[in-house]
Amino acid sequence: MKNIAPAIFSPNGIGDTKPTNQAVLDWVHEIGKLTKPENIFWCDGSERENEFLIAESLKQNVLIKLNEKKVPRSYLHRSNPNDVARVEKVTFICTPTKEEAGPTNNWSEPADTYSKLYGLLNGAMRGRTMFVVPYIMGPPDSPLTKVGFEITDSKYVVLSMRIMTRMGKIALKRLGNDPKAEWNRGVHSLLDVDPDRRFICHFPQDNTIISVGSGYGGNVLLSKKCFALRIGSYLARKQGWMAEHMLILGVESPEGRKHYVAAAFPSACGKTNFAMLIPPAHFKGWKVTTVGDDIAWMEIRDGRLFAVNPENGYFGVVPGTSYKSNPNAMKSIEHDTLYTNVALTDDNDVWWEGKDGAPPEHAIEWRGDDWTPDSKEKAAHPNSRFATPMGNNPALDPDVEKGEGLPISAIIFGGRRSDTVPLVYEAFDWNHGVYLGATMASETTAAATGAVGKVRRDPMAMLPFCGYNIGDYFRHWMDIGKRLTNPPLIFNVNWFRKGANGKFLWPGFGENMRVLKWVIDRCERTGGALKSPVGWLPSPHDLDLEELDIDHKSVADLLGIDHEEWQKELAEHEAFFGSLGGVVPEELQKQRKQLVARFKE
Ligand code: OXD
Ligand code: MN
């Protein structure tokens, strides 16, 4: 069989930064004995190492160099066409009992799963290089920061990890020599990228992840979904903090008052766009800054929630990104960016559906075939991605590295719903907010394999990422609420409601500032609201809609509560809770009954 990841041989001084922690050395030795690589490459995160790995990746066609003038220091990677998204059906939580994984996770017994995976890994790196990637998640001096090691046979993974995490010597320093120190063990092998031999398995009790048979980011950059969310959420519950699928943004008024907001939207529902929002001209003097675009780790201090972004880069969906939809993302990905599965133009530039300007007359589409605007297929895969360092973002928050984190004034939940759910509303209190999160739903996207556009319940946008029983997760949220003396206000938003003509009612993107402004007004106790059965709703004049081209009817439709639609929605909440087989806390069932009762008032 063809070796899809041939070994590389590095000169002295590259690939030889061995950790000194004996526990790490023992684990690497054990995985080496099992996978039998040609050699071991110990990453240090240096520029020299990066240049060497890029040169080797170009030789092996793992990367294609892009036009140096148009996208300096940037590369294109094409994944196997059978391997373009997260695969939830082969993602497992391997806790000693099925109950611990709960009703929303695939569960697999740990001992059996280890032996199956060790079987697949036996000799899997023959003729390959085994890379050992040390990394930290979180700002270098934060108490929330954690260490991970990823072993991989993929150069693309190493290059991506260098963008997405703080990688190399910094992690060795943070870990130190204590053999009992906490760190995450991640093992990844491409195997032969066969969907039938693809498994992403988490062992929360062992702080261990094993991912085989895929090369797609969400399945193999183990720092991200696997560690920062699945294992992270398990550790967070045990240790009394929160690991959430949330962007974090800062919003500053012209007077210099600043709030931080965290928002949980499901995959490919606009977290990156919201985190990089540029306020419209009407909001002169207002500034939005990005802390993170995908994950928030939060802890309680002085009765408030403080958040850090554990990541160091953005792994965003490319199609639809343009100077109109997200100028800050466009500026971020103009250089030093690793693209996956976008189209390549004849002058070695990148192209995707929704990019500014006319499509190229000819391009090579994401699989490597010829493409013209008349082609039936898309040029870029709908889940094509960029990986870019957060330092590229012109709107990066100046306090992103602050170890103590940033105080969160508001939490926003949101999904992609064509009907039923108003543009924005506010929970009556923390537990009601937990109910909003627990019952949120969204139309599925190309970020995961499976049907697209199907409404599914996605509690707190964590359905694919909660590493333990969802009932305990809801309980953890409520326990956190009890410990907060100054809790964030909780909101729900829906940018995606459609009118009778099937068109979006709300312009979205930068105009979402109007909703954010109301959220901030509510935090400052200056914003008006009407009591509705679902929560506090802005009336049209509570929202600043000046200089926005939108008619009264659309605003009324956006903010309206259609009782018939809500009867259906309430039945779905009940059915969803019912489908969880009795794990839903009594308090949330009470919230549901109160919501039903408010509709009868
Ligand atoms: C992501 C996802 O890649 O949620 O962030 O799938
Ligand atoms: Mn995500």
Side-chain angles (χ1 to χ4, degrees), residues 17-36:
T17 306
K18 246 185 175 181
T20 48
N21 189 301
Q22 196 54 47
V24 176
L25 294 171
D26 291 347
W27 168 71
V28 174
H29 180 73
E30 179 200 332
I31 302 302
K33 237 172 69 186
L34 174 68
T35 56
K36 305 179 182 62

Side-chain angles (χ1 to χ4, degrees), residues 225 245 267 271 294 465:
K225 300 300 173 183
H245 191 201
S267 308
K271 281 199 296 302
D294 195 42
F465 307 121

Side-chain angles (χ1 to χ4, degrees), residues 39-336:
N39 53 21
I40 300 183
F41 186 112
W42 306 87
C43 298
D44 67 2
S46 65
E47 193 54 52
R48 190 163 163 238
E49 169 184 283
N50 196 45
E51 277 166 18
F52 172 73
L53 290 176
I54 288 172
E56 293 297 308
S57 302
L58 290 169
K59 275 191 224 152
Q60 293 187 0
N61 297 323
V62 172
L63 296 183
I64 296 169
K65 169 105 183 93
L66 295 173
N67 185 317
E68 187 58 24
K69 286 217 174 70
K70 300 201 161 168
V71 253
R73 302 172 300 281
S74 298
Y75 303 89
L76 168 65
H77 170 77
R78 295 194 184 117
S79 74
N80 189 312
N82 77 29
D83 185 34
V84 291
R86 285 185 293 99
V87 232
E88 294 175 6
K89 64 177 195 303
V90 292
T91 299
F92 291 89
I93 301 296
C94 310
T95 42
T97 66
K98 192 171 188 319
E99 288 64 42
E100 283 162 278
T104 55
N105 282 313
N106 299 315
W107 174 77
S108 181
E109 199 278 323
D112 290 351
T113 314
Y114 274 124
S115 70
K116 177 174 87 180
L117 293 169
Y118 275 41
L120 290 168
L121 284 168
N122 194 345
M125 296 191 191
R126 263 197 197 103
R128 300 183 184 185
T129 294
M130 180 170 110
F131 299 92
V132 182
V133 183
Y135 64 92
I136 58 168
M137 296 304 279
D141 65 347
S142 175
L144 275 161
T145 292
K146 294 201 180 286
V147 176
F149 281 80
E150 175 164 355
I151 286 177
T152 178
D153 54 11
S154 157
K155 293 161 206 71
Y156 167 76
V157 166
V158 182
L159 295 167
S160 303
M161 288 293 283
R162 187 167 189 273
I163 296 173
M164 294 305 299
T165 71
R166 295 160 179 93
M167 184 261 247
K169 279 187 183 154
I170 191 169
L172 304 184
K173 188 162 160 242
R174 173 96 187 190
L175 181 67
N177 284 331
D178 178 1
K180 293 215 162 58
E182 179 195 271
W183 52 280
N184 180 266
R185 293 151 171 76
V187 180
H188 165 248
S189 173
L190 292 162
L191 304 182
D192 49 359
V193 196
D194 175 352
D196 292 334
R197 288 157 35 94
R198 182 170 296 157
F199 302 101
I200 300 102
C201 299
H202 307 72
F203 302 86
Q205 277 82 357
D206 303 340
N207 203 351
T208 293
I209 304 153
I210 302 181
S211 169
V212 294
S214 170
Y216 169 74
N219 301 324
V220 299
L221 307 180
L222 301 183
S223 57
K224 192 173 178 64
K225 300 300 173 183
C226 300
F227 181 30
L229 287 177
R230 297 197 188 97
I231 298 279
S233 60
Y234 170 87
L235 293 175
R237 173 166 171 255
K238 214 168 85 175
Q239 300 168 354
W241 51 283
M242 301 175 94
E244 299 298 330
H245 191 201
M246 290 178 179
L247 68 93
I248 310 162
L249 60 79
V251 51
E252 191 175 338
S253 73
E255 299 76 39
R257 274 199 316 283
K258 190 156 183 184
H259 289 274
Y260 291 94
V261 173
F265 308 158
S267 308
C269 286
K271 281 199 296 302
T272 306
N273 289 343
F274 195 45
M276 296 185 181
L277 179 155
I278 295 181
H282 175 65
F283 288 83
K284 196 161 176 288
W286 283 85
K287 227 163 61 195
V288 172
T289 47
T290 317
V291 180
D293 81 328
D294 195 42
I295 298 174
W297 281 1
M298 302 189 281
E299 69 173 1
I300 302 173
R301 196 150 0 91
D302 305 327
R304 294 192 79 175
L305 265 189
F306 282 76
V308 298
N309 170 15
E311 300 191 278
N312 196 40
Y314 310 125
F315 182 64
V317 177
V318 179
T321 308
S322 67
Y323 277 98
K324 187 157 168 283
S325 67
N326 191 339
N328 284 325
M330 287 302 284
K331 287 186 192 136
S332 304
I333 64 180
E334 269 169 1
H335 59 98
D336 299 282

